[in-house]
Amino acid sequence: DTAVSQTPKYLVTQMGNDKSIKCEQNLGHDTMYWYKQDSKKFLKIMFSYNNKELIINETVPNRFSPKSPDKAHLNLHINSLELGDSAVYFCASSQELLLSYNEQFFGPGTRLTVL
Amino acid sequence: GQQLNQSPQSMFIQEGEDVSMNCTSSSIFNTWLWYKQDPGEGPVLLIALYKAGELTSNGRLTAQFGITRKDSFLNISASIPSDVGIYFCAGFNSGGSNYKLTFGKGTLLTVNP
């Protein structure tokens, strides 16, 4: 039933480690996104993929590498984790990016804590 | 980049009261949106506004797209405890290197029963 799912829900790890967060959507959407929500609840887009092609990269450090094996999945891999990477990461999906807005459906989030 | 100023940052109200929050931008948007985020969940779209001056309702919620295209407000009437959460405004533009949502910093709403 779940439209946009993310795993894991919680991730606690040490500085310097490499970790991945997985996202899957069963809505048949063409576009997927990753957002970061900081401790002050500010939401900011990181990446957007349309049919497995990178559309938006909001000057995110290259330690963050999104990977889209197919249009239903957009995983986020983070290398050499830093304290400042601690945040809640949201995956979202929508119909194909067009001239008008298509509703984005958000996953439940992954709370990443870097110690 | 584009920035949205959302106010108030937080509100504490009694059940049954009406609530108003607004968002202003330094630049215009083609679409204004209002989202609600419950604790431990992702944001959920409440209302989307596509035309300047548009006034749209969704149950007890009413939102308007400002004439200048640089602002929007959200009203909630007769609040109930389940209205608790963080409300975000967001603006969307398309074309060029856009096609992205820009979010306000949120309004935390607490409703006392």
Side-chain angles (χ1 to χ4, degrees), chain A residues 9 33 35 37 40-43 45 55-56 58 90 97-101 103-104 106-109, chain B residues 31 33 35 37 40-43 45 48 50 86 88 92 94-95 97-101 103-105:
Chain A
K9 176 78 172 170
Y33 313 79
Y35 287 85
Q37 187 173 46
K40 296 184 178 179
K41 305 299 184 185
F42 183 52
L43 262 170
I45 190 162
I55 300 297
I56 296 172
E58 282 292 295
F90 287 99
L97 284 174
L98 296 171
L99 292 178
S100 60
Y101 174 75
E103 181 178 354
Q104 294 183 22
F106 285 78
Chain B
T31 305
L33 305 131
Y35 279 83
Q37 184 178 16
E41 301 291 332
L45 182 65
Y50 298 100
I86 304 176
F88 291 98
F92 178 80
S94 58
S97 61
N98 290 314
Y99 298 103
K100 66 177 183 181
L101 280 181
F103 281 89
K105 295 192 175 181

Side-chain angles (χ1 to χ4, degrees), chain B residues 25-113:
Chain B
S25 169
S26 56
S27 52
I28 63 174
F29 284 103
N30 295 329
T31 305
W32 279 92
L33 305 131
W34 286 92
Y35 279 83
K36 183 191 178 196
Q37 184 178 16
D38 290 328
E41 301 291 332
V44 174
L45 182 65
L46 298 173
I47 292 180
L49 302 155
Y50 298 100
K51 287 170 52 176
E54 180 181 352
L55 183 71
T56 297
S57 292
N58 178 5
R60 294 178 295 106
L61 276 59
T62 302
Q64 183 156 31
F65 189 146
I67 290 290
T68 65
R69 295 165 68 192
K70 291 184 179 182
D71 63 300
S72 177
F73 71 74
L74 174 71
N75 287 340
I76 305 173
S77 61
S79 58
I80 59 178
S82 62
D83 290 335
V84 163
I86 304 176
Y87 292 79
F88 291 98
C89 63
F92 178 80
N93 278 328
S94 58
S97 61
N98 290 314
Y99 298 103
K100 66 177 183 181
L101 280 181
T102 301
F103 281 89
K105 295 192 175 181
T107 296
L108 174 61
L109 178 64
T110 303
V111 180
N112 293 320

Side-chain angles (χ1 to χ4, degrees), chain B residues 1-20:
Chain B
Q2 294 171 313
Q3 292 187 343
L4 297 185
N5 296 310
Q6 185 172 348
S7 64
Q9 279 189 326
S10 61
M11 302 182 75
F12 296 84
I13 62 170
Q14 292 297 123
E15 184 177 358
E17 289 183 0
D18 298 343
V19 170
S20 185

